[in-house]
Each structure stands twice: as C-alpha cells, then as structure tokens.
Amino acid sequence: MEIVHVAAECYPVAKAGGLGDVVGALPKYQAELGHVAKVVMPMYRTKFLYTNEWELVHEGGQQMGSHFFHYSVIKEKTNKLGFDLYLVDINGLLDREKIYGYDDDTERFMAFQIAVCDWISKWTHQPDVIHCHDHHTGFIPFMVKYCFAFSKLAGIPTVFTIHNAQYQGWISWDKYYYLPAYDSYKWGLLDWNNMINPLASAVKCAWKVTTVSNSYLEEMRYAANGLENLFEYERGKSLGILNGIDTQVWNPETDNMIVKNYDKELVEKGKMRNKKELAGQFGLDPDKPLITFIGRLVGEKAADLLPEAISQSIYQHHGHANFLILGSGDPELEDRLDQMKHQFKGYYNSYIGYNEQLSHLMYAGSDFLLMPSRVEPCGLNQMYALRYGTIPMVRTVGGLKDTITDFGDWQGFGIRFNEASVWDITYSVGRAIDLYNNKPDLYSWMRSHMMTIDHSWDGAAQQYINLYQSLK
Ligand code: ADP
Ligand code: GLC
C-alpha cells in the first residue's frame, strides 16, 4: 500500500511532544512491513534541515483567500529515516525555528494543508490512503472531498488520528474564505459551535477516525473539550489503536545519549551509573530514590500540582526521596519550578527547557517516573520508562490506564492513583519510597519484568494497515 502521513511534527526532524515520536516511527515500521510510507510535513528551520541533503520534487502556487503563495516540496535524498520524507516550504510562513506558537499559526497550517492537497492532486497516480494527524491537518479530509480544486482526490480514503482533542485549532467564521472554493451546502461539516473547527471537521469527514488508546476513545464521549456529542455520534467509525514506541531509538542497550548502557541482567548497575551522573549534575543524593517528571508544563499533565506535591512529599516523607523535573510550558510554572531549586537544594532540582539528551538520561537514571496527567490520550513516557526499568507512577487515565498496572495487584508493575491531586501524588511518593527501601525483591522483579514488556510498533503498525485495507 502507499500511505501518505501528513503531520506538523516528525522526530528527528521536528518534535514538540509525542506526536513527533509517533510520526517518526509508525511510517518506518509500516515500510518495514513492505509498504510505501511517506511523511509530508512543513519545512521548519531545524537542525535536521541543514544537516541533510534534499532534492526539489515539486513547485507550485495556490491562493489562500486573497493571498497567493508559492510553495515547494523537497525530499530527503537518502531515505535516512526508513521512509520517504517530504518537506513543504512556504517562504515566510513555515520556514521558522519553532513548530507552533506564532500569531499566524492559523494561516501557516491552512497554507500547508492547501499546498499538500494541491501537490497530491498533481501526482500521476493516487495513494491508497491519506493519514492525517491532529488538528493542524484536520481540513484535509474536508478539502479532498469538497474543494472543487481537489476534486480529483475525492475518492482517496482519509484516516484521521486524534493524538490530543484538547487542541482543536478553532478559527472564526470571518476567515472562511481561506479555504479554497467548496460546495457551500457542506459548510456545516466545518462548523462546531459557530466556529470553524478543523478537529471536528476531520472527525466528521474522515473515512475513519482513530485515537491513540482505547480508554481515551471512551473518555472522549464525556470529556473532549466540547466535542463529546460529536464523538458519541461518530463512535461507529472510530477506534482506538494504542501507540507503540520506537524500540530502535529507545533502547537502553544501545542508547548513545546515556552514560552506561544496560540490559535486563545489568539493570541495577547500569541504572545506578546513570543515576550517579544525574545526581552529580543536579546536586542530588544517588542513594535515595529518584522520582522524575518529564513533559510539557501544562494543565493536561497536571504539572501545576508539582510544586505543592513535591514540597509536601519532601516534608511528609522527611526528605527520603529526591525529585528532578525536565519540562517547559506555562511561564509562571516554569518560574516556580526553577525557584524551588534554592528552597529544596539537595532534594529537588529542575531543568526548564527542552532537552532530548537529558530526557534519555533521565529515563535511564531515574527510579520512578511521575505522570499525574488529567488527560493522557496515550502517553509515551511511561512506555519509555518501562523499557528503561523505571517504575511509572501514573494517574489512572487514558493510555496510562491501558499500559500500567499497580504493584498491589496480581503481577502489577507500576504505581497507580486515581486523582490528579496533591494528596494522591504525595501518598504515591510514600509507596514508592517504601517499595524502594523495604521491598527489594519485589522492586527488582518489577524492574526486570517491565523491561520485557513489548510495546514496539510491530503490532500497532499492522493494525493501521488492516484499517486502511478495510477502506479499499
Ligand atoms: P505529549 O505528546 O502529550 O507531550 P507524550 O508522553 O506522548 O506526551 O510524549 C512526550 C514526548 O516528549 C516524550 O518523547 C518525552 O520524552 C518528550 N518530552 C516532553 N518534554 C520534554 C522536554 N522538556 N525535553 C525533552 N523531551 C521532552
Ligand atoms: C499527544 C498526547 C499523548 C500521546 C501523543 C502521541 O500529544 O497528549 O498522550 O502519547 O499525542 O500520540
């Protein structure tokens, strides 16, 4: 099959979170299964762009409202990532350092989607499926069906994967003219609550809708940032496919971003060596359990609870655990988490910012990884933690619920709690300290057991193929 993935992120080209990891891995595994997998994404000014070789494959131009833009499509020459990678360059709009966060993100991603449809409509053949990811690509299922300029594409099946329904890309109706001319009877397919809503539109127009775990699919029917009824209505064409992880990138035996490689047999020594490195860098005590958090500092991740939960845990458990945070997001929270370093010197530290290498070292060198998320469609961190022998401490929600069991249950290998609250986190920290200090056999069994759990993409990549095949 020929599959075209369209997304705003793809690791290692550009990544802001788990979307990048998924789009960097799924096509590779689909290619390994013998399919032609392509990724089309915006051309940002990232290191990957400047350190690789490209060929020009197409140049075109299109109208976005009254604005005419030129675009070009370049292809990475060597198939370095294991799939065909195409970048869409639109001067002045896409070629920036960051992926998101600009005032004109609406225009940027609208132009990107128009360019993608225009380019594919110039192909001499048609792909078997166009697979769009999240709201930045959410107009494509509508555009291929109803925009006159792309009528040639109307028969191509579209699949839309929701990685996160919190962000929907709302646009006010006074920008309706950005979309290329379409059958105006269909305007309702763009609308949700009097706004143009690309996520809602994709759910209405795509042939199939997937989310990244089964639990999240269920949860969206009663908590989807205003789209609950839509998910209930479209339940019949929706399904959950749990993400995998790229076991070539995330492998403690070969990872060159950590200081000591290890496998299941050498896990104790290997982790200790990495922990000592972290403890040295951040002024922590390697003999105490190290509990870390890695992620976006936003409400969904319940990162706002961290300052209070960490202070309470340090007081209530008499400093018997150390904490380390890696994250960026809400500026006020960044400041608080940064300031706390001085108050809890020797017990707590943080790195505010994005640091891929440090994240690997933290998965390897931590004893526990905390994820108190309010919303977690899938979550990849907990799966990386399992692979690196780090015990996940997770709130029972979304993909966390589908991947982690509690050590109090039969053969459980993690720590679960029900509420995103300071109390639940502090209590769980107590359980972690007790496990670390007083239950060495159980702790060591959990570690080696979790490292054997297979969360590779093999199964999920095939599930997507089966889904595409069902659309033929
Ligand atoms: P989300 O996509 O909602 O942010 P996921 O758990 O799916 O959550 O994936 C997060 C990804 O981003 C993981 O690869 C994680 O290691 C990475 N990550 C998040 N924040 C940072 C950071 N500050 N520095 C480095 N990596 C980060
Ligand atoms: C989103 C979700 C996260 C998921 C990731 C990849 O960003 O917040 O839970 O793992 O996408 O699908």
Side-chain angles (χ1 to χ4, degrees):
M1 298 194 91
E2 181 173 346
I3 308 135
V4 180
H5 290 275
V6 192
E9 299 178 32
C10 172
Y11 179 81
V13 192
K15 163 176 164 183
L19 171 65
D21 286 344
V22 170
V23 180
L26 171 61
K28 180 166 76 179
Y29 283 77
Q30 290 179 331
E32 281 171 14
L33 289 172
H35 303 282
V36 177
K38 303 184 168 176
V39 169
V40 188
M41 65 181 294
M43 191 202 85
Y44 312 107
R45 297 203 168 281
T46 63
K47 188 172 163 213
F48 193 91
L49 175 68
Y50 298 109
T51 49
N52 288 281
E53 289 196 29
W54 306 88
E55 64 183 294
L56 179 68
V57 291
H58 181 74
E59 275 185 298
Q62 262 290 340
Q63 207 71 29
M64 179 170 65
S66 53
H67 175 69
F68 182 84
F69 64 90
H70 285 281
Y71 70 91
S72 47
V73 183
I74 56 173
K75 178 174 188 262
E76 193 274 316
K77 273 186 173 172
T78 63
N79 203 275
K80 188 176 187 173
L81 303 183
F83 51 82
D84 297 337
L85 171 69
Y86 298 90
L87 307 185
V88 177
D89 180 19
I90 304 179
N91 279 338
L93 274 181
L94 297 178
D95 53 341
R96 305 196 190 154
E97 278 172 19
K98 283 194 302 170
I99 303 173
Y100 319 109
Y102 298 100
D103 290 343
D104 58 352
D105 278 356
T106 296
E107 288 75 12
R108 297 173 70 226
F109 290 105
M110 180 68 88
F112 167 64
Q113 294 175 82
I114 294 171
V116 171
C117 291
D118 188 57
W119 173 48
I120 299 177
S121 71
K122 301 288 185 312
W123 293 10
T124 49
H125 71 288
Q126 297 211 322
D128 291 300
V129 60
I130 302 179
H131 188 156
C132 302
H133 299 264
D134 270 356
H135 77 81
H136 313 95
T137 61
F139 285 122
I140 291 178
F142 178 89
M143 289 203 286
V144 300
K145 266 188 178 163
Y146 304 115
C147 287
F148 304 124
F150 310 133
S151 55
K152 204 182 137 193
L153 308 178
I156 303 177
T158 50
V159 170
F160 183 69
T161 295
I162 299 168
H163 296 264
N164 197 330
Q166 295 299 108
Y167 306 98
Q168 298 170 8
W170 311 268
I171 304 174
S172 79
W173 267 105
D174 54 16
K175 292 189 175 166
Y176 76 92
Y177 62 91
Y178 282 178
L179 280 150
Y182 57 86
D183 176 356
S184 55
Y185 278 105
K186 299 291 189 289
W187 72 271
L189 293 172
L190 295 167
D191 183 80
W192 194 259
N193 272 344
N194 302 321
M195 295 284 282
I196 299 180
N197 185 322
L199 190 96
S201 171
V203 173
K204 295 178 194 182
C205 299
W207 293 30
K208 286 281 178 186
V209 174
T210 71
T211 65
V212 288
S213 72
N214 273 318
S215 288
Y216 187 55
L217 182 66
E218 288 308 312
E219 288 164 11
M220 284 197 309
R221 295 161 74 187
Y222 53 88
N225 208 3
L227 297 186
E228 298 76 10
N229 290 345
L230 178 64
F231 287 115
E232 183 64 42
Y233 185 74
E234 298 289 7
R235 181 71 181 86
K237 69 170 183 191
S238 313
L239 79 159
I241 299 181
L242 186 72
N243 285 332
I245 59 170
D246 190 333
T247 46
Q248 293 157 15
V249 175
W250 299 93
N251 182 354
E253 287 180 52
T254 53
D255 191 333
N256 58 15
M257 298 195 217
I258 65 180
V259 295
K260 173 86 187 150
N261 292 115
Y262 59 93
D263 59 12
K264 196 161 77 78
E265 271 66 50
L266 298 174
V267 56
E268 199 172 327
K269 275 199 181 144
K271 284 186 74 68
M272 184 45 101
R273 178 68 195 85
N274 289 297
K275 184 174 170 183
K276 282 191 171 148
E277 176 68 24
L278 282 174
Q281 282 184 27
F282 291 96
L284 301 170
D285 179 352
D287 293 328
K288 291 182 181 166
L290 177 60
I291 303 177
T292 56
F293 172 95
I294 300 170
R296 295 180 292 117
L297 301 176
V298 295
E300 279 165 74
K301 304 283 177 194
D304 49 300
L305 300 177
L306 291 173
E308 186 62 19
I310 290 173
S311 331
Q312 286 295 326
S313 295
I314 293 174
Y315 290 130
Q316 287 186 27
H317 305 300
H318 312 289
H320 286 317
N322 278 180
F323 295 87
L324 179 61
I325 290 191
L326 165 62
S328 61
D330 173 26
E332 248 176 64
L333 188 56
E334 287 186 350
D335 265 3
R336 271 189 83 190
L337 290 167
D338 194 41
Q339 288 307 317
M340 281 171 57
K341 284 178 186 171
H342 309 295
Q343 192 183 353
F344 295 111
K345 202 160 182 246
Y347 297 95
Y348 161 85
N349 211 331
S350 64
Y351 180 105
I352 303 301
Y354 189 90
N355 188 328
E356 190 74 25
Q357 179 162 7
L358 177 59
S359 76
H360 283 244
L361 185 62
M362 284 172 65
Y363 289 115
S366 312
D367 300 301
F368 299 91
L369 183 88
L370 177 62
M371 298 180 76
S373 310
R374 293 193 175 91
V375 181
E376 197 61 81
C378 176
L380 299 172
N381 298 16
Q382 81 280 13
M383 297 198 256
Y384 299 147
L386 294 176
R387 186 131 168 92
Y388 284 73
T390 299
I391 295 173
M393 299 169 63
V394 305
R395 177 166 173 248
T396 307
V397 68
L400 300 175
K401 184 172 162 188
D402 294 357
T403 50
I404 306 300
T405 52
D406 187 88
F407 76 90
D409 297 331
W410 170 243
Q411 298 226 316
F413 48 83
I415 295 181
R416 285 191 12 177
F417 49 95
N418 288 330
E419 302 293 328
S421 69
V422 169
W423 197 91
D424 266 25
I425 298 173
T426 311
Y427 180 75
S428 303
V429 168
R431 292 183 73 207
I433 295 173
D434 182 50
L435 180 65
Y436 184 90
N437 288 333
N438 306 323
K439 300 184 171 73
D441 292 344
L442 177 58
Y443 182 62
S444 125
W445 175 84
M446 282 166 70
R447 256 184 178 169
S448 42
H449 174 70
M450 68 174 70
M451 288 179 77
T452 61
I453 298 174
D454 180 10
H455 276 299
S456 76
W457 267 107
D458 298 325
Q462 184 60 49
Q463 274 179 278
Y464 278 110
I465 299 292
N466 298 346
L467 174 71
Y468 309 147
Q469 272 161 350
S470 74
L471 301 176
K472 289 188 103 179

